[in-house]
Amino acid sequence: MIKSLSTNPYSDQKPGTSGLRKKVPVFQQKNYAENFIQSIFDSLEGFAGETLVIGGDGRYYNREVIQKAIKMAAANGFGRVLVGRGGILSTPAASNVIRKYKAFGGIVLSASHNPGGPTEDFGIKYNVGNGGPAPEKVTDAIFDRTKVIDSYKIANVADVNLDVEGSQQVEDMTVTVIDPVADYAELMESLFDFSAIRKLISGGFRVVFDAMSAVTGPYAKEIIEKRLGAPKGSVMNFIPLPDFGGHHPDPNLVHARALYEIMMAHDAPDFGAASDGDGDRNLIIGKGIFVTPSDSLAILAANAHLAPGYAKGLAGIARSMPTSGAADRVAEKLGIGLYETPTGWKFFGNLLDEGMATICGEESAGTGSNHVREKDGLWAVLLWLNILAVRKESALDIVRQHWSTYGRNYYSRHDYEGVDSDAANGLITALRDKLAGLPGKNFGALTVETADDFSYNDPVDKSVSKNQGIRILFRGGSRVVFRLSGTGTSGATLRVYIERFEPDPARHDLDTQEALADLIAVADELAEIKARTGRQEPSVIT
Ligand code: G1P
Ligand code: ZN
């Protein structure tokens, strides 16, 4: 074991729930990754002799940082490292491995849906023993440590062979290279009716899954093609590439355009889906219909009992505040709790650990359940397939029936990226100052019912999270929400979430942007978006 002097401490960014995200050249600076990893270890207690899980989404610089992390884990006194073969573990698979093998925690290397490559994004994230992202008190401690760190411990040994399964010794620590897919596939098989899905597929039902040259390729190949019998070629872009083939591995209608076009063609397959860089997000497209993540959450919750893993019903549903209210009406009908949390998966952890919620979701294409403590892209795809196999109806029919039973929430998010930070903060402050005067005010046919800055009281640990987004609710269930992104890398990103509730099935066929036009205009009037940001249009509409 040697102790190296760390010469490049940094304290420029607080690691959020998604860990520390920077460009690859930043991580390549001398001691940079080492400092962060040592700061993680320095913030933890009681891991001597324990197990650490390490894996990543395969992006550029993944293997190099994995070697550093293994050698540092050995020098810091961990007893065992479990690492995915080739350095691969999707985020939900890492969460599962941590839980299954009762590891102390895990280091997950990813920058999620952001591009990869020598000048693109990289990230390091720490997950705790329940398999979920480190809570704020841990990330705060890590950040404080990065400001003062002056040395790190690293074993002076040769690189570990990551490509052969089995155990090797690094000083006093055992490194076991595991199959990254096997445990995860077994978990999925325990939750879903694979034989029903196999029957559906062998009966001619066509599935296409776009792995976007990212981490879910090997998982989807094994599960969808091998275990569920979908023909070869059903999984597209299945080889994880360090630069994701030059694309953004972000499963939305912009970056997964190719899949969208396949699904809108007249000879489209029956069901299309995609996942992101590290496998925690999902995109669901039925033949001829894109299912919004908010609708998907509601539909999955309403039908989850059709899958063996959820046959006993749900304890509750949790959604992030900006996610549409579609799930609320499902919870109401099922007579179960509905929890509205701030944006970010970490807020679901306590609800899942306490058995208060079973299924959770965010409008940003994240859905998951109590099976792990991360959102899970393939899980959502398999639950959809299980529901389709049992109901024997098309995705389009299932969505339309859902709307006629519960009403439809037209929903869209408008993002203004790279906005001047002062302008963005000024916009939010000005809005906040207006809130008290809004209730009762009319904007055309819309009347404000309530207006506030969302504050969350965690029912489990009683912590309070303030200033989580401005929400303006109109009579009848329509809503606009404003918040600033916590994950952007340059300037500020203003997110405006617009939602209109439409109970009348005769009005379920409108174009979304048209259906929301009056609310979009009110959002601009209230927040002075154009004037304050200098933008005439959002950068991205989803
Ligand atoms: C975004 C999403 C949020 C998600 C997070 C991490 O955060 O909006 O739902 O949990 O990425 O994937 P934001 O940039 O809005 O802070
Ligand atoms: Zn992700």
Side-chain angles (χ1 to χ4, degrees):
M1 174 197 308
I2 61 162
K3 209 172 166 142
S4 286
L5 199 60
S6 128
T7 53
N8 183 26
Y10 64 88
S11 56
D12 57 340
Q13 189 193 327
K14 193 177 148 176
T17 19
S18 40
L20 181 70
R21 297 254 178 97
K22 292 281 178 190
K23 296 287 177 202
V24 167
V26 175
F27 272 104
Q28 284 170 327
Q29 295 172 87
K30 189 165 161 51
N31 297 338
Y32 193 90
E34 289 87 339
N35 280 343
F36 188 66
I37 295 168
Q38 187 66 49
S39 298
I40 295 174
F41 295 157
D42 287 350
S43 310
L44 308 174
E45 267 169 37
F47 58 76
E50 298 282 330
T51 298
L52 181 71
V53 173
I54 304 179
D57 63 9
R59 67 179 57 230
Y60 190 88
Y61 210 45
N62 191 51
R63 281 174 179 263
E64 288 84 347
V65 176
I66 285 185
Q67 295 291 351
K68 291 179 202 284
I70 291 174
K71 293 172 195 176
M72 291 181 67
N76 278 275
F78 277 94
R80 179 170 69 147
V81 156
L82 298 177
V83 57
R85 185 176 9 87
I88 292 287
L89 276 177
S90 76
T91 292
S95 183
N96 177 48
V97 172
I98 294 170
R99 293 166 67 78
K100 182 168 176 179
Y101 297 100
K102 305 200 169 13
F104 188 85
I107 290 181
V108 183
L109 308 174
S110 169
S112 191
H113 50 287
N114 296 305
T119 57
E120 298 294 353
D121 295 314
F122 193 78
I124 304 181
K125 159 177 169 172
Y126 181 70
N127 279 28
V128 292
N130 76 347
E136 206 154 299
K137 63 176 195 304
V138 177
T139 53
D140 282 349
I142 297 170
F143 180 52
D144 289 342
R145 185 65 195 149
T146 64
K147 296 180 201 166
V148 294
I149 184 166
D150 57 8
S151 69
Y152 59 85
K153 293 179 198 159
I154 189 161
N156 188 12
V157 294
D159 280 1
V160 163
N161 182 347
L162 294 174
D163 298 306
V164 180
E165 281 168 42
S167 294
Q168 309 160 51
Q169 223 31 51
V170 173
E171 297 193 330
D172 295 336
M173 187 182 84
T174 308
V175 178
T176 306
V177 176
I178 59 170
D179 178 337
V181 176
D183 293 309
Y184 181 83
E186 185 184 295
L187 175 65
M188 292 301 114
E189 206 150 359
S190 76
L191 296 173
F192 302 118
D193 187 346
F194 272 34
S195 73
I197 304 174
R198 244 190 324 265
K199 224 169 123 196
L200 175 78
I201 290 174
S202 67
F205 183 94
R206 283 163 61 213
V207 185
V208 52
F209 179 86
D210 188 352
M212 304 190 86
S213 304
V215 80
T216 50
Y219 295 85
K221 268 260 162 202
E222 170 67 26
I223 296 172
I224 297 175
E225 290 188 6
K226 213 163 140 205
R227 301 197 186 195
L228 295 172
K232 256 206 167 97
S234 302
V235 179
M236 296 160 54
N237 303 313
F238 59 87
I239 299 174
L241 300 174
D243 67 348
F244 308 118
H247 300 290
H248 286 228
D250 192 355
N252 61 28
L253 297 183
V254 179
H255 296 296
R257 194 75 208 169
L259 176 70
Y260 181 77
E261 268 152 26
I262 292 173
M263 294 308 298
M264 295 301 142
H266 79 276
D267 59 346
D270 298 288
F271 186 74
S275 189
D276 72 331
D278 63 329
D280 58 358
R281 294 189 176 196
N282 71 83
L283 170 70
I284 302 292
I285 314 181
K287 181 176 187 160
I289 184 170
F290 158 63
V291 187
T292 68
S294 294
D295 276 347
S296 180
L297 171 67
I299 293 166
L300 292 179
N303 293 280
H305 62 279
L306 302 176
Y310 306 91
K312 294 202 186 95
L314 309 179
I317 307 171
R319 65 161 172 86
S320 67
M321 181 274 280
T323 303
S324 94
D328 303 26
R329 288 188 305 282
V330 174
E332 200 183 337
K333 188 158 182 207
L334 293 173
I336 58 176
L338 184 285
Y339 302 91
E340 187 176 30
T341 60
T343 295
W345 202 260
K346 69 172 176 189
F347 291 100
F348 297 136
N350 284 341
L351 299 169
L352 293 169
D353 282 348
E354 289 303 308
M356 296 165 81
T358 309
I359 284 190
C360 311
E362 293 195 275
E363 52 68 40
S364 53
T367 332
S369 87
N370 58 355
H371 68 292
V372 289
R373 290 296 178 276
E374 293 277 6
K375 54 197 174 221
D376 188 344
L378 263 172
W379 170 89
V381 174
L382 294 169
L383 180 49
W384 261 102
L385 287 174
N386 195 143
I387 292 165
L388 289 161
V390 175
R391 288 188 50 169
K392 300 185 174 66
E393 293 160 289
S394 70
L396 180 66
D397 287 344
I398 288 175
V399 172
R400 299 197 65 87
Q401 282 178 42
H402 187 91
W403 290 340
S404 49
T405 307
Y406 295 93
R408 176 173 182 186
N409 288 68
Y410 284 99
Y411 189 87
S412 182
R413 188 176 93 184
H414 290 193
D415 291 333
Y416 297 79
E417 294 173 345
V419 172
D420 175 73
S421 294
D422 291 338
N425 287 317
L427 179 151
I428 295 289
T429 311
L431 258 179
R432 197 174 282 139
D433 292 343
K434 279 187 196 165
L435 293 175
L438 289 179
K441 250 188 145 177
N442 295 320
F443 296 86
L446 294 160
T447 306
V448 177
E449 194 162 79
T450 58
D452 68 358
D453 191 349
F454 181 55
S455 175
Y456 179 62
N457 301 311
D458 189 305
V460 180
D461 65 21
K462 310 289 176 210
S463 61
V464 180
S465 305
K466 292 190 175 151
N467 302 334
Q468 296 297 320
I470 307 284
R471 41 177 200 179
I472 298 165
L473 187 71
F474 299 91
R475 277 189 201 140
S478 294
R479 199 172 68 143
V480 286
V481 169
F482 303 83
R483 60 178 282 280
L484 300 183
S485 157
T487 63
T489 39
S490 56
T493 295
L494 169 69
R495 302 203 197 283
V496 186
Y497 310 81
I498 309 124
E499 174 181 356
R500 171 180 152 198
F501 179 60
E502 178 54 74
D504 182 359
R507 289 202 295 260
H508 284 171
D509 283 313
L510 309 176
D511 170 81
T512 297
Q513 299 304 317
E514 278 166 28
L516 298 173
D518 54 345
L519 286 152
I520 292 168
V522 173
D524 184 54
E525 183 182 337
L526 281 167
E528 304 164 70
I529 301 173
K530 292 191 179 107
R532 286 177 177 273
T533 65
R535 301 290 175 80
Q536 292 311 300
E537 283 182 351
S539 343
V540 183
I541 297 181
T542 46

